[in-house]
Structure formats: C-alpha cells, structure tokens
Amino acid sequence: MNHVPRPVHPRRLQHRRSRNGCLTCKRRKVRCNEEKPLCYHCRRLHLDCLWKDLDVDSQQLSQSDAGEKTLEQPSPTEFFDFTQSIDTIPDIFLPVFSDFAPDLNLQDEVLLGNPSPSPSVDIHNGEALQVDIPPILDPIENGPKGTSVQALLNSLARSSSMVRHSMAAFAVVRASPSDTTGDFQAYYEKAASRLSQRCQEPSGTRIDGGDELRYSLATIFFLTYADLLTGRLDLAYSNLAWAHRAIQVTGTSTLGSIEQRILSWIRLLDARAAAAGGEGLLINDTIHCPPTPTSTSAGSTPRIPDATPDCGSQDVIYDMLCQPGIAFYQQVQTITGRITRIAHIHRSRGSVEDETEVMAIAANILHDLGILYDRRPALMDYAVSGNISALAEPLASGIIRSFQTYLANFYACYIHLHRVAHRHLARSAAVDTALEKIKEILHLMVAKNESIPVNMLWPLFLWGSEEDDPGECRWILTTIQGLHHVASNSSMAAGALGEIQRRQREAGGRVDIRSVCLELFNTTFAIV
C-alpha cells in the first residue's frame, strides 16, 4: 500500500473535434456532445439548438448556414448577462462516466439509507412556504437543530422576496441539476438583481446591519450553492467575495446570532470553492468570521419573531454536546483553506525557493493539525466509535453522525496536504493513518445503514485518490455515485476519480486532480 510514487506530468490536453455538432455550438466555437434534439450546452444555456439537415440539398444547406448568423440570444438581466457571464467560464462537457468507472454497481445505493428528497419552494405562497434543509448543512444543523433551522429558513423566505427567489433557484437546481434554464434562470436573476442593488463595486457594499445583512447573507448562501452545483465557479467566487466585504464593512459587532449562523453556512461553501480554485476569503479570515452560535443563543428569537421554536431539553443538550465539535470543524475548514493557498493555482511553484517555502508552510500546517487533534472535543472519540449509549435516540445518532463527519474531514487534511505539498514523495505514516480512519468511518456509516452526508464526499474523494485496493476503489466510486440525491455533481466527481485512479495505476504515481478535471470537463468543479 505504501508504494513510492514517481511524479507524473499531466498529459497535454487534446481536443476531439465535433464534426456533427449543432450549429449553435459551431458558432460559439465550443465542443458539442451531439445529443439531439437539444445538446448539453444549449440545454444548459437556454439557447436555440439548431441542426444542419444532412439530407437536404446544397441550397437548403446554404440557407441553414446563413440562418446560423441570426440566432436569437438571451436577453441581458439587471445583474448578469447570463450568456456573457457563463461564456467566460470554460464550457463543461460531460463524458459518459461508464468509460471511467465501468464496474459501478448502483444497486449498492440501498446501503446509503434514505436521503432527503429534493427541496421544493412554493414561490407564490409565502405563508405555505416549506424549504428543506440544504444538504451541506447536515453536520452542523442536524438532529434537534433541524427544527430550528427549518423555522429560520421559512421565516427568512416569508420576510424577503430576495431570499425567497434565491431559495427557489437553489430548489430547481437540486431537483434537476442539468436544467439551468426556465424557472431557475428567472428566480436566480431576480434574487441576484436585488442583491446587486445592495452591493457596490469596487468600493465595498451598501449592506447595513440587521435585517438587510441577514437577508443578503442568506441570498448569497443559496445563490452560491446553486453556482457551485451548476459549475459556475466565477459567479460563486464573486458572491463569496461580496459576503466577505459585507462582513468587513459592517464589523463583527453588528452580527447577531442569526447572522453568525448563516455566515457559518457560507463558510462551508467557501471551503469547497477554495478547493476548486477560489480564494477562501471567509475560511481564512478568522477575525471577521466568529464561531458559530448555538441555536438557543439569546437574541436569536427577537430579531425574527417565531424563527426558532421553544427549545426543549434535547435541543439544549444537543447544542452543549455538539458546539465544541462544530468549532473543531470550523478550524478544519480554515486549515483546508491554508492548504489550498499553497497549491500551484494560488502561488508560484517549481523553483528551489518556492518549494522550500511550501515545505516550511506545510510543516506549520502539520504542526497545527497535531495541536488541533490534541484539543479535539472530549466527546469525539466516543461519538465516532458509536459508544454513547447513555444518550437516547434520535439524539445519539445525530451526534455520532456529526462527529464522524468532523473527524473524517480533519483526516482529509493530511491527504490533501500531502498531494499539494509532497506529491512526489511516498505516503507518510500520518497519511496512511488518515486513509485508514476515513475508511473506518465510512464503512461504519454504511454498516449502520446511515445515509452518508454530502460533507463526506470530500474525504471520500481524497481517500479514493490514494487507495490502491481495486475492490475498495470500486466501492468508493459506487458510494460517490450513490450520493446523487444530496450531491448533484456526484457523477462528475465519480467520473473524475475513476479517471484519476486509472491514470495512477498506469503511471505508477500520482496525477494532478485539477489537471484531470480540466481535461475531462474543460473546467474544475466544487465537490459539494
């Protein structure tokens, strides 16, 4: 298992021409997947997908070519010109994932429990609005806190049409990830347009404290989540930067418990965006991003009446037990951001001076990981092993699930750091331990028929990038594919990982994850 890898240079990107693609893709000079009657890019961008009729005579062909020049373009919006904005991001072409992972057995999906159904929003009826908890919030808002966050989301949606439209856009993407047209575009534009009226470039922001800040942060959370799921990373980075500026301008003294809570949600997205190439402004800013408050914090109810129901004893106990774990998890997110910043996409690499500096930074990160582990919550070891029988259900299962997620993401930092800073070296003892711990936690979840939270996708992916056993590799790919109910881009993640595993087997060493994603999809993507 502890083989010595040799550095592998990524293969040069080779484009395969699309000879029978639609006229729209030919005009836009992008590769068409040739799917009729509506190809992938035209469906994604809501464009007219026009095709050349191969059976007509040359005169009709000429007319078709002439007509190609007058294709109707989507109208601009107040906030984004969607065609222009999305065209600045490299087009994503989705290959057939069975080419990379032919042995996936999706029948194993029954082991993943019963994931939550796709969220839905009744945009026309604010009083009857019901918003499901977004999957990425699972490790910090599950168990008894689920009732609290559900009430908060519904209250936010009733109080602000901007938030309501952002929730609707997210709900449409969750229900149909490949359909970024129609209702999604309309909802997204309305929320983004109202948000843009509150934010000014480049001087900062007009978002004030109180309700305005709360509604803006909630809108940024849902719009950013939708952007990450649809692969529009530039828009996600822009929204995250707005959130960071808003917090800087308003100051931490104006943040109530609800604003701090929503900010902790955005930081989860920022960590995933940073791994895909973002700046990680929020996870790296410990001054302007205070710890997550408990759902029972004083002052949370007065700011939004009836947002949080009366807390029972289980809610209080859950907060007391889980709050140290959430703080631990937030520190893990910050370390993830530090690792990302020494990757070649954020700084120069290759020279002796560069690599010496990176090694020094990596040593500091390893030291801080050791300190963080020594200071882990006292309950963590018992919870991760499932040894908290003194607590009744469902309190016990919620705590176990949360702490397992926190610790798996902690161990993922060792693998992430090694692939970024020490890719040419054999695995260290710490990395081998991390792989075994993540493997143990994932198998424990599945053995107990627990549904795997979306926040386990990152540790699962990194474990898969270092696993040598073919059986485990197939299990990992099957498990990732089975997360499609909570992770809309799980198929992309499984396809990329399958190709990474294949290339590493052939080359006998590590390949760069980002380079493989660029070759497969012409872009990177956030694993959410």
Side-chain angles (χ1 to χ4, degrees):
M1 185 174 181
N2 192 19
H3 68 283
V4 180
R6 57 185 176 85
V8 177
H9 299 288
R11 295 182 294 185
R12 184 178 181 83
L13 178 63
Q14 306 217 346
H15 295 284
R16 177 172 61 83
R17 289 185 174 275
S18 172
R19 299 187 181 278
N20 300 315
C22 73
L23 299 176
T24 309
C25 286
K26 287 182 182 295
R27 178 184 57 80
R28 296 178 61 239
K29 295 185 172 69
V30 298
R31 179 177 156 194
C32 181
N33 70 345
E34 302 179 11
E35 181 180 339
K36 294 183 180 181
L38 196 62
C39 76
Y40 173 74
H41 291 311
C42 290
R43 182 173 68 252
R44 180 170 65 94
L45 300 180
H46 201 202
L47 301 177
D48 291 332
C49 192
L50 302 183
W51 296 85
K52 185 184 294 184
D53 190 344
L54 299 178
D55 296 328
V56 298
D57 56 26
S58 59
Q59 180 179 1
Q60 290 174 311
L61 283 173
S62 300
Q63 292 174 352
S64 176
D65 291 339
E68 179 187 345
K69 299 178 182 179
T70 60
L71 295 176
E72 182 181 356
Q73 298 293 327
S75 60
T77 70
E78 297 176 10
F79 185 53
F80 289 119
D81 181 331
F82 264 70
T83 301
Q84 295 299 322
S85 299
I86 298 175
D87 279 352
T88 62
I89 305 174
D91 289 288
I92 304 173
F93 176 72
L94 299 181
V96 179
F97 293 111
S98 58
D99 292 344
F100 309 117
D103 297 324
L104 294 184
N105 179 11
L106 294 183
Q107 291 181 347
D108 288 346
E109 187 180 321
V110 297
L111 296 176
L112 302 178
N114 298 309
S116 300
S118 298
S120 59
V121 176
D122 183 358
I123 195 69
H124 303 294
N125 189 352
E127 292 303 319
L129 205 63
Q130 291 295 321
V131 183
D132 289 339
I133 301 174
I136 201 169
L137 301 185
D138 187 290
I140 62 174
E141 300 287 6
N142 65 7
K145 294 180 70 174
T147 303
S148 169
V149 70
Q150 186 80 67
L152 173 58
L153 292 176
N154 290 335
S155 180
L156 289 168
R158 287 194 301 268
S159 303
S160 169
S161 61
M162 177 177 69
V163 177
R164 188 160 60 249
H165 282 103
S166 68
M167 289 179 176
F170 171 73
V172 172
V173 168
R174 285 269 295 124
S176 181
S178 61
D179 182 14
T180 56
T181 63
D183 288 342
F184 165 77
Q185 184 170 331
Y187 293 147
Y188 189 104
E189 289 180 6
K190 287 180 181 178
S193 177
R194 298 192 182 193
L195 180 64
S196 68
Q197 296 170 9
R198 293 165 169 79
C199 302
Q200 293 179 330
E201 295 280 2
S203 58
T205 177
R206 290 187 296 166
I207 297 176
D208 301 319
D211 293 346
E212 281 294 309
L213 179 60
R214 179 184 310 149
Y215 299 149
S216 296
L217 290 177
T219 300
I220 287 172
F221 170 75
F222 283 103
L223 293 184
T224 303
Y225 205 156
D227 289 333
L228 295 180
L229 291 178
T230 54
R232 301 179 305 175
L233 297 182
D234 283 1
L235 302 186
Y237 300 156
S238 176
N239 285 329
L240 291 168
W242 279 358
H244 185 245
R245 275 198 303 276
I247 298 304
Q248 284 184 314
V249 171
T250 57
T252 56
S253 60
T254 65
L255 296 180
S257 60
I258 293 177
E259 289 76 27
Q260 293 178 29
R261 192 175 188 179
I262 299 172
L263 183 59
S264 72
W265 303 349
I266 299 175
R267 291 180 86 248
L268 294 175
L269 296 177
D270 193 39
R272 299 277 56 83
E279 291 296 323
L281 297 173
L282 292 165
I283 57 175
N284 286 303
D285 189 349
T286 56
I287 296 176
H288 296 101
C289 298
T292 307
T294 63
S295 62
T296 58
S297 299
S300 61
T301 301
R303 301 294 295 275
I304 289 187
D306 302 325
T308 304
D310 293 337
C311 297
S313 59
Q314 279 202 343
D315 301 63
V316 176
I317 294 172
Y318 186 88
D319 274 340
M320 292 176 61
L321 295 177
C322 275
Q323 194 58 34
I326 294 175
F328 177 90
Y329 187 48
Q330 286 188 320
Q331 302 230 16
V332 169
Q333 301 298 311
T334 299
I335 291 178
T336 299
R338 290 170 59 190
I339 296 171
T340 301
R341 295 188 72 84
I342 62 175
H344 61 85
I345 57 175
H346 287 299
R347 56 156 297 144
S348 60
R349 296 285 299 269
S351 69
V352 173
E353 291 79 7
D354 288 335
E355 297 307 312
T356 300
E357 185 176 351
V358 166
M359 289 289 189
I361 296 173
N364 288 334
I365 293 175
L366 284 172
H367 178 261
D368 291 344
L369 282 170
I371 293 176
L372 180 58
Y373 184 77
D374 291 340
R375 296 176 179 174
R376 68 193 183 280
L379 183 61
M380 177 164 281
D381 292 346
Y382 299 99
V384 170
S385 64
N387 186 21
I388 52 173
S389 56
L391 296 177
E393 294 292 348
L395 188 64
S397 59
I399 292 174
I400 290 172
R401 177 187 171 94
S402 294
F403 276 92
Q404 286 176 336
T405 303
Y406 305 152
L407 191 60
N409 278 269
F410 166 81
Y411 281 121
C413 290
Y414 285 97
I415 307 172
H416 187 197
L417 179 62
H418 196 85
R419 292 189 70 95
V420 168
H422 310 129
R423 192 179 73 175
H424 59 291
L425 300 176
R427 288 197 290 263
S428 64
V431 173
D432 282 333
T433 298
L435 291 169
E436 288 300 319
K437 292 296 184 180
I438 293 173
K439 174 181 176 179
E440 178 184 338
I441 290 171
L442 262 301
H443 282 294
L444 274 174
M445 283 185 168
V446 172
K448 293 183 178 181
N449 289 323
E450 290 282 346
S451 59
I452 297 177
V454 69
N455 303 73
M456 289 296 292
L457 183 54
W458 178 241
L460 188 58
F461 187 94
L462 288 176
W463 167 30
S465 71
E466 289 289 316
E467 181 56 60
D468 298 321
D469 181 75
E472 289 287 12
C473 286
R474 287 192 297 271
W475 186 88
I476 293 168
L477 292 174
T478 302
T479 303
I480 291 177
Q481 282 276 24
L483 290 174
H484 62 86
H485 290 293
V486 292
S488 300
N489 58 6
S490 63
S491 292
M492 291 180 71
L497 180 57
E499 180 68 0
I500 290 165
Q501 291 173 344
R502 184 188 66 79
R503 294 189 186 187
Q504 290 184 161
R505 284 194 302 268
E506 292 178 354
R510 298 185 183 93
V511 297
D512 181 60
I513 293 174
R514 179 180 173 83
S515 298
V516 173
C517 290
L518 287 173
E519 288 193 40
L520 293 182
F521 312 117
N522 285 344
T523 187
T524 56
F525 62 94
I527 299 178
V528 290

